[in-house]
Amino acid sequence: MKPSTPGITTIGLAAVLLTATALVSAGAQAQDTDESLYFPWKDPNNPNVILMDPDDESRDVWNARRDTSKREPGLTNLQRYEFGVMPMGGFPTFLGAPFALTTEDLKAGGVEVAMVGLNIDDNFIPGGRFAANKLRTLTDYMLFGTGSYDPTMHLDYLKDMKLADYGNIASHYGHSERSLEEVHKVISEILDADAIPMAIGGSHIQMWPMFTALAQKHGNESFAMLHVDAHYDALNAGFGRYVHNGRMVYLGVERGLIKGSDIVQIGLRSPKPGTEDLHWMQKKGLKFHFQSEINAKGFEAVLKRVLAELSGKKLFISFDMDGVDPAYAPGVGTQEPEGLTASQAMQLLRAVTIQNEIVAIEINEYNPFMDDRHQTTGILVDRLMRSAIAGLAAKKKGITDPFYVAPTGLDHAAKPDH
Ligand SMILES: [Mn+2]
């Protein structure tokens, strides 16, 4: 058991005071005011704080680590068969990649991209907690060892890139904020191995620990963010919470982790931001691109603008699946008509991963329970992961044009250039 903290002492004192008050007032009324008995998680000194039970010995078991020191560091391939990934053979991992559990594993394996599952559910319609595991087991013909050939750039991204499945990050079922520190820790382990974390699933509140881990590794205000979303996620109102699923951008800028002028948003089209929010966004220099801009100018013109705004920056890609038109991605918790097409979303990820130095990627808000029976959203998440990895592979091969398409992808008579 942990020694009691000043907070606990205060609550103990408050309980004594409340009991004393109860003793001197009429019986029935006294019981109504005994908040420390009825609502013990309420901090009497701060209504914005929800207290955990400090005496509960199971308080931290959900994120207690196993001892992995006896293992030799390195990657382990869980596929039993030579043919590669098969949903009905071996063990499912992201894109069939070998697994890693520690920073030492990632270093020993020379891993460039570590895919990791996120499991926090802070959404209007819960379910994102199950996204990562669902993605590993999609009913997708691409899982049948059929390869990893990018159809646009004609390169074998799984062969060209060193990938690992870094497992899932534990989350506390009832308390999103408690889970954020664990996300920070595990993302930091990946960053410490100089690999790119590709965080999949969960809900967008996880942008906060992505910010904190990146700021700790690279410095405050040292990285930019491409934020794909129907929502601006910069709500001023916290409803008593510091951070929630719609407030990460506001908090990140106000707390100095990322500069407003280093944030480029695309796909915005929800009933917010309102006038005051817009005023804040402009004051902080956010480069926001509403769906109306795409509708008016065309996607390519907006993409060129986005690329120019991000040029030369270390880039964190924060991709909310509701940024995509629900016609292409119905499986989200906060559906918003209009948005990027599947094709535009894939092109966007190829383009920025070719152009920019990528420091982290997250793709979240995919809710498998809200998806259609063909798992259209899940399969698109898979293809978005592949598009980003293909862009990184293209850059590694020396391709620098963010609009690169292989010659044979444009003309059957063309001579391949690689
Ligand atoms: Mn979002």
Side-chain angles (χ1 to χ4, degrees), residues 94 114-118 136 166-169 186-187 190 197-200:
F94 286 125
M115 297 167 283
V116 65
L118 295 171
R136 294 184 177 100
Y166 204 58
N168 291 345
I169 304 177
V186 178
I187 295 299
I190 297 171
M198 180 180 265
I200 303 296

Side-chain angles (χ1 to χ4, degrees), residues 204 207 227-231 233 245 248 320 322 364-365:
H204 219 159
M207 184 196 284
H227 177 201
V228 186
D229 209 322
H231 311 96
D233 287 356
N245 220 31
M248 309 78 64
D320 188 320
D322 65 35
N364 51 50
E365 297 288 352

